Amino acid sequence: MKLHIESPLIESRPLSLLVQRNVWLKLDALQPSGSFKIRGIGTACEAYARQGKRRFISSSGGNAGMAVAYAGRCLNIPVTVVVPQTTTERAKALIARENAEVIVHGASWQEANALAQSMLSDDAAFLHPFDDPLLWAGHASLVDEVAAAGMKPGAVVLSVGGGGLLAGVVQGLRRNGWHDVPVIAMETRGADSLSQSLRAGHRITLDAITSLATSLGAKQVCQEAFDLARSHPVHSVVVEDIAALNACERFLDDHRILVEPACGASLAAVYEQIPQLAEVDEILVVVCGGATATLDQIRQWAARPDIKAA
Ligand SMILES: *Cc1c(COP(=O)(O)O)cnc(C)c1O
């Protein structure tokens, strides 16, 4: 049983006309949990279920927590998600809607995560949002589907938080023999842990996340993503929050799909016509999705003077 769907791969007419080259969209915004995360988390949850685990625990109030909750409901395994007090009502409701238990604890993610870790026992599995080989193997299925459709991209554009998606996509490219297909790794300023690490030559830890794209808000990328970013052709690009927000609004007009700013960062690569894509034909954008944003929220953010001025 697969918990994710084979997502649609379409050629975007509006984006192709905009950049005068073919732009393809892998529409993981349409996954049942609202984002690509169910690919890897579904794969991991199934593996842990086979190992005899009887409870899943997560400390993500975002799309990872939603994917664990969805997977648990499908597999008939109880799920507990511990989230900090800063988690929005909407995010908590989306997780609870999948019948998961939501525990609110602590002022920050660190405290919520500490409680989640203390709840682990022999028959419970902790689902990390990005740092788990099972996750990467599951995310790689996205590339398998593109290959099976007979489409070889000139470059893959994707968003980077903790780097799980990046690690999975690079693994997918390699297992399909596409060692030469570059990846454009998009981050927003204030959540640019990969970009700063590549510049420093080692994995840095951000002091704080100052971007609105909270789903990209990992203070440090996982080692696997950092290593792959240095051994595979990966181009790291940082955009301002306002570019990601504008991309969300334009994408809603163009394709009638609402995504989070975390995904808007990837779409901004095309809407802002970044130079790294200037020579690329057959651009593939991973539309990673995200269920936590609303149109009202995106418009409010985009109207903030400090955001607009960036
Ligand atoms: C988790 C997430 C990301 C970042 O994925 P990582 O594997 O953490 O790099 C990007 N976009 C959305 C919508 C996400 O949920």
Side-chain angles (χ1 to χ4, degrees):
M1 179 192 158
K2 257 191 329 189
L3 296 173
H4 66 267
I5 62 160
E6 181 177 326
S7 64
L9 173 67
I10 65 166
E11 194 200 328
S12 169
R13 189 65 183 152
L15 290 177
S16 298
L17 285 173
L18 177 72
V19 301
Q20 291 294 307
R21 273 152 306 128
N22 290 335
V23 178
W24 296 81
L25 305 173
K26 188 63 172 153
L27 290 173
D28 265 43
L30 304 181
Q31 290 292 346
S33 74
S35 79
F36 76 94
K37 286 239 171 44
I38 187 60
R39 288 183 184 271
I41 286 183
T43 304
C45 284
E46 283 179 297
Y48 293 134
R50 276 195 304 273
Q51 291 168 17
K53 300 296 184 188
R54 298 168 65 166
R55 173 172 291 278
F56 296 147
I57 300 192
S58 163
S59 56
S60 160
N63 295 304
M66 286 165 209
V68 179
Y70 173 79
R73 182 168 65 77
C74 293
L75 297 168
N76 231 333
I77 290 184
V79 174
T80 301
V81 183
V82 188
V83 299
Q85 278 138 11
T86 50
T87 308
T88 62
E89 288 305 318
R90 176 178 167 80
K92 284 183 274 187
L94 288 170
I95 295 167
R97 191 167 77 180
E98 298 293 349
N99 298 344
E101 176 189 23
V102 179
I103 297 177
V104 180
H105 177 81
S108 71
W109 175 80
Q110 275 75 11
E111 291 159 58
N113 186 53
L115 179 64
Q117 299 296 335
S118 77
M119 294 167 65
L120 281 175
S121 59
D122 282 349
D123 64 353
F126 179 75
L127 277 297
H128 196 282
F130 54 82
D131 197 3
D132 181 342
L134 289 168
L135 231 69
W136 310 327
H139 292 339
S141 63
L142 188 151
V143 182
D144 297 339
E145 291 170 14
V146 174
M151 188 259 170
K152 183 178 180 184
V156 182
V157 181
L158 54 76
S159 298
V160 177
L165 179 60
L166 173 67
V169 165
V170 172
Q171 286 187 2
L173 291 172
R174 289 182 169 178
R175 80 186 185 196
N176 283 282
W178 289 347
H179 298 261
D180 57 331
V181 174
V183 173
I184 314 294
M186 302 298 298
E187 295 177 294
T188 48
R189 191 170 313 285
D192 49 345
S193 44
L194 176 67
S195 169
Q196 291 196 27
S197 296
L198 290 173
R199 238 181 304 140
H202 62 94
R203 279 193 308 153
I204 60 94
T205 302
L206 296 174
D207 294 333
I209 302 298
T210 55
S211 169
L212 297 170
T214 48
S215 293
L216 302 185
K219 289 184 182 173
Q220 188 183 49
V221 293
C222 61
Q223 186 71 48
E224 179 75 2
F226 181 70
D227 292 345
L228 288 174
R230 301 213 296 176
S231 61
H232 190 87
V234 172
H235 307 292
S236 164
V237 177
V238 178
V239 293
E240 302 296 336
D241 276 348
I242 189 66
L245 293 166
N246 287 340
C248 291
E249 290 204 51
R250 291 180 71 176
F251 191 68
L252 181 60
D253 282 344
D254 284 340
H255 282 283
R256 304 160 305 280
I257 297 173
L258 181 67
V259 298
E260 284 182 19
C263 177
S266 283
L267 296 167
V270 181
Y271 284 119
E272 303 273 314
Q273 309 208 30
I274 59 166
Q276 289 81 356
L277 286 175
E279 304 291 309
V280 181
D281 209 353
E282 310 298 339
I283 299 164
L284 175 69
V285 182
V286 176
V287 183
C288 51
T292 68
T294 64
L295 181 55
D296 266 357
Q297 170 96 88
I298 286 170
R299 287 193 169 144
Q300 276 171 30
W301 278 334
R304 255 169 55 178
D306 57 319
I307 301 291
K308 260 201 293 205

